[in-house]
Amino acid sequence: MKLKIKRSVITLSLVVCSLIVNAQTYSSEAGLQTDNDSYLFQGSDRYYTDGLFLFYRHALATTNNAKLQNKVLGFEVGQKIFNPQTGNIPTATGVDRPFAGYLYAGASLNLLYKNESNLKLSVQTGVIGPAAKGEQAQKFVHDTFGFYSINGWKYQIQNAFQLNLSAEYNRLLYRNDEGFDVSGSAYANLGTGFTGAGVGPLFRLGKLGKLFNSVSTQSTAITKQNADKDHKGEFFIHFKPQFNYVAYDATIEGGLFSNKEPGSLEITAKPVRTIFSNQLGASYVTKRWVIDYTATFPTKVVNPQRYSQQWASITLMYRFN
């Protein structure tokens, strides 16, 4: 009897370990991302101060395509909130970065190739200005959690319709057997709100998934037919230095085609055209969950900006069929 019990315990343990280690394939995922400078635990509340995004992604079939390994259709809605050095600005002289909200809905198509390169095409439509409800969202958070009073949104960017297109390209450059790889990353934005481009390497170290089925390329959703049989989840740290060129930013300069209304207190500024940023974080992909924490440290985005800008992002996705 003791031998049977011991065998049963061993068998059950092996089954449990197998379920933990062997990653399952799921063609859909949904979740959210929250951005906030408070996630760096430095007590700051400035510049890009808050963001909230909801995502749904679904993997599509890649039948009769010899080069394509995965194809993911994505939908998202989101809001970004910007304020000056603090959310409490009693006079216009304290506005070293304009108040602005950006509210949008978007869709994307992510094409991921067997050679571990991918091209992600996205479109977003939305609004900046009071219609984006940035003031209301920030006041709700501060009132709910007992933070300081908000003052200064009367200086915010005026309403303007937004239509923005973007393309992102990634490609594996090097990988060794010790769990380290390097890939190249580039993006370009064109629209009434955001126009610019950026380029930089991505370094990863740990338990890595291939780039056609990885949190690094937003491709953890994949069909069973396209899944990598050796894929057993991910757990790695990542570092991404990046050079960015800003041709236009409506949250700083105001709407591309809008004119300042009579009596408006709107304060705009000129963006810094070249920005360097560093991203550092960790990613974890289990059977059902995708978890990521990333801290971002860019150089100043506006002249004169009194302090540096920094924030962290927390992403949580649930995978299903």
Side-chain angles (χ1 to χ4, degrees):
M1 180 65 69
K2 289 183 178 180
L3 182 59
K4 287 183 178 180
I5 293 175
K6 185 178 290 186
R7 285 178 177 174
S8 298
V9 171
I10 292 173
T11 302
L12 180 60
S13 299
L14 290 174
V15 171
V16 172
C17 289
S18 176
L19 290 174
I20 293 173
V21 172
N22 294 325
Q24 300 293 317
T25 300
Y26 297 100
S27 59
S28 298
E29 62 183 14
L32 59 85
Q33 175 181 317
T34 171
D35 299 350
N36 204 291
D37 46 1
S38 66
Y39 299 153
L40 294 174
F41 307 105
Q42 295 183 347
S44 63
D45 185 23
R46 52 184 178 241
Y47 311 130
Y48 177 41
T49 182
D50 189 66
L52 181 62
F53 316 91
L54 302 177
F55 301 102
Y56 171 75
R57 300 184 186 121
H58 179 70
L60 306 176
T62 59
T63 310
N64 300 325
N65 193 313
K67 296 182 178 181
L68 203 61
Q69 183 70 30
N70 192 10
K71 183 165 58 174
V72 180
L73 178 66
F75 300 95
E76 65 181 277
V77 293
Q79 183 190 48
K80 294 183 177 183
I81 301 173
F82 304 86
N83 57 227
Q85 56 192 297
T86 175
N88 186 0
I89 300 294
T91 64
T93 57
V95 180
D96 61 339
R97 194 259 188 246
F99 283 92
Y102 174 47
L103 184 67
Y104 73 91
S108 63
L109 181 63
N110 198 355
L111 305 173
L112 302 114
Y113 297 91
K114 294 180 180 179
N115 65 356
E116 296 194 62
S117 66
N118 82 292
L119 176 63
K120 183 180 180 182
L121 305 173
S122 305
V123 58
Q124 293 180 357
T125 182
V127 65
I128 59 170
K133 304 300 180 181
E135 178 181 10
Q136 290 87 338
Q138 190 177 42
K139 283 185 175 180
F140 173 79
V141 171
H142 279 237
D143 291 344
T144 301
F145 294 98
F147 299 150
Y148 66 85
S149 298
I150 297 299
N151 183 21
W153 277 88
K154 56 183 174 291
Y155 303 119
Q156 72 175 300
I157 297 293
Q158 294 182 134
N159 285 329
F161 172 75
Q162 298 292 289
L163 178 61
N164 297 299
L165 308 174
S166 67
E168 178 185 339
Y169 180 76
N170 301 277
R171 186 181 181 90
L172 180 67
L173 301 177
Y174 170 79
R175 178 179 294 136
N176 63 24
D177 295 331
E178 283 71 48
F180 172 77
D181 70 12
V182 183
S183 55
S185 179
Y187 74 88
N189 297 328
L190 177 64
T192 60
F194 308 100
T195 297
V199 63
L202 170 64
F203 302 93
R204 306 190 303 171
L205 177 64
K207 186 179 181 182
L208 308 175
K210 293 183 178 179
L211 292 184
F212 54 71
N213 186 197
S214 174
V215 61
S216 297
T217 51
Q218 304 88 51
S219 59
T220 43
I222 193 169
T223 63
K224 289 184 178 180
Q225 294 79 6
N226 295 336
D228 179 12
K229 294 180 180 179
D230 296 326
H231 185 75
K232 293 181 174 62
E234 295 182 283
F235 185 34
F236 60 86
I237 59 174
H238 52 85
F239 172 59
K240 185 178 183 180
Q242 187 166 262
F243 168 81
N244 308 273
Y245 176 75
V246 179
Y248 193 82
D249 186 335
T251 67
I252 296 174
E253 300 175 79
L256 185 60
F257 302 110
S258 62
N259 295 316
K260 191 169 183 178
E261 298 177 0
S264 170
L265 299 177
E266 176 191 41
I267 295 177
T268 60
K270 291 294 183 182
V272 176
R273 299 302 177 189
T274 56
I275 299 171
F276 296 92
S277 64
N278 289 296
Q279 292 184 340
L280 179 65
S283 299
Y284 183 41
V285 180
T286 67
K287 178 182 176 181
R288 286 281 190 178
W289 296 96
V290 179
I291 305 169
D292 179 82
Y293 175 88
T294 299
T296 303
F297 305 93
T299 55
K300 294 180 179 181
V301 299
V302 178
N303 274 326
Q305 184 176 313
R306 289 178 173 82
Y307 306 101
S308 61
Q309 176 176 257
Q310 52 196 17
W311 70 89
S313 305
I314 299 174
T315 304
L316 181 65
M317 304 288 292
Y318 179 74
R319 307 164 68 201
F320 58 95
N321 284 320

